[in-house]
């Protein structure tokens, strides 16, 4: 290929990629709904992880108290 043909091909590829990235099939309300859904999901996961962490700490505290209560140094 000649230099001119390579330049033209590169221009076509760049134009196709930039046109596809600008296009979004969702309108503004739908985009906001998707953002709200992602935010709600992230918050739900965060609350779930906090609850699981609290439960694990509670179980570890009980296991520690059980072990320390049954140890005897005689």
């Amino acid at each position: 290929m000649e230099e001119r043909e390579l330049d033209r091909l590169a221009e076509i590829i760049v134009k196709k990629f930039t046109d596809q990235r600008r296009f979004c099939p969702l309108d503004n309300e739908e985009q906001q709904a998707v953002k709200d859904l992602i935010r709600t999901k992230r918050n739900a996961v965060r609350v779930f992880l906090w609850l699981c962490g609290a439960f694990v700490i509670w179980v570890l505290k009980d296991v520690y108290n059980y072990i320390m209560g049954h140890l005897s140094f005689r």
Side-chain angles (χ1 to χ4, degrees):
M1 284 190 169
E2 294 180 6
E3 187 71 29
R4 188 174 30 132
E5 291 174 340
L6 289 174
D7 290 339
R8 178 73 178 134
L9 183 61
E11 290 174 3
I12 292 172
I13 291 172
V14 167
K15 184 172 176 13
K16 287 190 179 203
F17 278 120
T18 56
D19 287 344
Q20 289 177 357
R21 290 185 182 159
R22 291 183 187 164
F23 179 70
C24 183
L26 302 176
D27 61 2
N28 288 337
E29 292 176 6
E30 291 172 334
Q31 289 177 9
Q32 188 61 37
V34 169
K35 289 177 186 177
D36 291 340
L37 180 65
I38 291 170
R39 189 177 301 115
T40 302
K41 180 182 176 185
R42 184 179 60 211
N43 289 338
V45 168
R46 185 176 295 148
V47 168
F48 176 74
L49 289 175
W50 273 99
L51 291 174
C52 287
F55 181 72
V56 167
I57 290 172
W58 180 51
V59 168
L60 289 175
K61 176 192 64 95
D62 287 344
V63 169
Y64 174 78
N65 286 336
Y66 177 79
I67 291 172
M68 294 308 289
H70 287 82
L71 285 179
S72 60
F73 299 104
R74 294 184 186 183

